Amino acid sequence: MFNWAKSTLAAVAGTQEPEYGPDAIQPVGKKPGEPAYTELTKKDLKWSALEYTNVESQTFYLFTETGHLGFLQLIYNNIAGMRTTVQFNCKVFYPNNEKPALWASDPLSNYGFDEEQHSFYADGVSIELSDDGTFYTIKAAVNDNSMVNVKFTRSAPGFMGGKDGTSNYGTDPKAPWGSMHHHFWPRADVEGTIITKEGELNVKGRGMFSHALQGMKPHHAASRWNFVNFQSPSYSAILMEFTTPASYASTIVRVSGIATDGKLLFAGTDGEVKHTATKQDSDNDWPEPTSATYHWTGKTADGKDVTADLEGALGNKYDRVDVMAEVPGFIKAIVATAAGTKPYIYQYAPKMTIKVKVGDEIKEEEGTLFTEATFIS
């Protein structure tokens, strides 16, 4: 194989790992003496900008009063410590999926951070955290079809699972060779606009913020993902789970939480996602979900038991994303053969009713679910 192709393959896919067993992963929130979750402070909102293979991202999810859904996303990607690429993405789904989604993805140049690593700047893009750490201002003028000016204000405490939001990979817990880190603002108020070639979108509504860091090759960290982001007038419910490859005993790692205005109802590392009905995707053989159940469990600060549930049909998918669509065709084929890697993301946004039980009190409320099912290897 050509040397440049070898290096591309290693950077994109790596090689198949041996089976290390379940002790080679230390899931978030499962270490002895760890709390179920920790509330975020401003210092937790720093960019890491690591100098070895990793993918770091900030994603701002939008649930607008006009029925549009979408996200603004910055991806900071380091390949083997030799090359860094930075991309700004904007995706907007139209109400009832009435027409194809707006998708803009643009590489950035002359990028960097402020002194405290809280805010990001590049030519045409800025993502600034306020001095008090309660809101972000996102501005982007790098694509004529998505001129962004959005304010994203936290309306409930942010959190991370366990003590530090981190799952570590490696046979020596004191010297991990990889990691996965997430923290969240489950509930936020959103205002501002996205100007497209068709006109101006007012994005006033509700939002959710995620800052994620995969400190290793993504397909070595996880083989499958489920992401759940439910927003209704009273509740914001999030659940993220991933399943490790067989190298780490197909271990399931979760972070979950439910917020209301001004407070966290609970958060932790429990919950469950089940695809209750699927159909085979004829293009790639993945079991595309068509119905699902989502379950949360935890305790309030004063010790009351809490459960919450969503269930139902997912409806027509809003999109199916071929993650490797930008990789040259023959490299893509090599990757799939060498590592069993063919990542696809299935995205849905149905209306569902959440059932929340706190102690003996039960409340039900309709809202919008944005959910992703990702299959990697």
Side-chain angles (χ1 to χ4, degrees):
M1 193 188 301
F2 297 115
N3 284 334
W4 69 268
K6 287 182 182 178
S7 67
T8 302
L9 176 58
V12 174
T15 56
Q16 197 79 25
E17 290 195 295
E19 293 191 11
Y20 303 111
D23 294 336
I25 181 170
Q26 298 84 48
V28 61
K30 303 300 183 183
K31 307 175 191 81
E34 264 198 299
Y37 72 95
T38 301
E39 284 195 18
L40 298 179
T41 63
K42 185 179 178 182
K43 66 179 176 59
D44 299 312
L45 301 175
K46 292 183 177 182
W47 283 87
S48 297
L50 302 177
E51 295 184 355
Y52 53 83
T53 297
N54 75 95
V55 180
E56 188 171 8
S57 63
Q58 286 189 341
T59 308
F60 300 83
Y61 294 90
L62 312 172
F63 292 69
T64 75
E65 292 179 356
T66 58
H68 295 80
L69 294 173
F71 58 80
L72 308 170
Q73 181 180 62
L74 186 75
I75 299 179
Y76 190 94
N77 181 31
N78 187 306
I79 302 171
M82 296 183 292
R83 183 186 177 202
T84 298
T85 62
V86 185
Q87 199 89 2
F88 183 79
N89 299 328
C90 173
K91 190 167 195 175
V92 177
F93 296 109
Y94 290 89
N96 302 312
N97 208 15
E98 62 194 23
K99 59 181 178 179
L102 165 69
W103 171 244
S105 183
D106 298 279
L108 304 183
S109 56
N110 296 320
Y111 49 81
F113 304 92
D114 67 348
E115 188 174 347
E116 292 185 318
Q117 300 280 107
H118 283 137
S119 298
F120 170 88
Y121 303 92
D123 287 349
V125 170
S126 65
I127 300 177
E128 295 184 310
L129 179 64
S130 63
D131 289 340
D132 63 1
T134 61
F135 68 87
Y136 281 95
T137 304
I138 306 112
K139 295 183 179 181
V142 288
N143 191 304
D144 290 342
N145 204 30
S146 61
M147 306 289 280
V148 175
N149 186 0
V150 171
K151 183 180 179 182
F152 210 89
T153 304
R154 177 170 57 80
S155 60
F159 74 94
M160 53 189 168
K163 181 181 179 181
D164 58 10
T166 302
S167 297
N168 287 320
Y169 294 71
T171 50
D172 180 1
K174 295 180 180 179
W177 58 55
S179 64
M180 191 86 82
H181 176 89
H182 293 84
H183 58 231
F184 304 99
W185 287 358
R187 191 170 179 86
D189 294 323
V190 182
E191 57 186 297
T193 59
I194 299 173
I195 299 174
T196 75
K197 291 176 181 177
E198 295 182 351
E200 182 177 289
L201 294 176
N202 184 340
V203 298
K204 179 176 173 58
R206 200 167 286 113
M208 175 267 194
F209 165 71
S210 168
H211 188 145
L213 174 64
Q214 297 184 42
M216 58 196 300
K217 292 182 175 68
H219 76 280
H220 285 175
S223 62
R224 298 190 179 196
W225 289 84
N226 282 297
F227 171 68
V228 184
N229 179 7
F230 174 85
Q231 303 288 335
S232 73
S234 303
Y235 298 105
S236 295
I238 65 169
L239 200 167
M240 179 219 72
E241 69 169 32
F242 63 88
T243 304
T244 70
S247 312
Y248 302 94
S250 299
T251 301
I252 297 176
V253 180
R254 297 184 178 94
V255 181
S256 63
I258 295 183
T260 59
D261 282 331
K263 72 173 185 177
L264 275 176
L265 194 56
F266 72 92
T269 55
D270 294 319
E272 187 176 45
V273 176
K274 286 185 177 179
H275 297 166
T276 52
T278 63
K279 64 180 181 181
Q280 212 70 14
D281 187 329
S282 57
D283 290 338
N284 56 38
D285 293 329
W286 289 126
E288 175 187 337
T290 56
S291 291
T293 62
Y294 309 98
H295 177 68
W296 288 260
T297 182
K299 287 184 179 292
T300 63
D302 58 2
K304 291 181 181 177
D305 289 326
V306 185
T307 61
D309 290 278
L310 289 168
E311 62 177 301
L314 297 176
N316 294 326
K317 63 177 176 282
Y318 270 45
D319 203 357
R320 184 191 70 173
V321 182
D322 180 353
V323 177
M324 295 184 69
E326 303 304 317
V327 178
F330 70 96
I331 291 293
K332 184 176 174 181
I334 293 168
V335 169
T337 302
T341 303
K342 46 179 181 177
Y344 280 81
I345 304 171
Y346 298 85
Q347 296 174 323
Y348 308 85
K351 295 286 186 184
M352 281 194 181
T353 298
I354 194 167
K355 182 178 180 180
V356 180
K357 183 179 180 183
V358 181
D360 295 327
E361 185 181 13
I362 297 175
K363 291 185 178 180
E364 296 188 12
E365 187 170 87
E366 186 182 71
T368 300
L369 170 67
F370 177 74
T371 186
E372 295 180 330
T374 303
F375 302 91
I376 299 174
S377 61

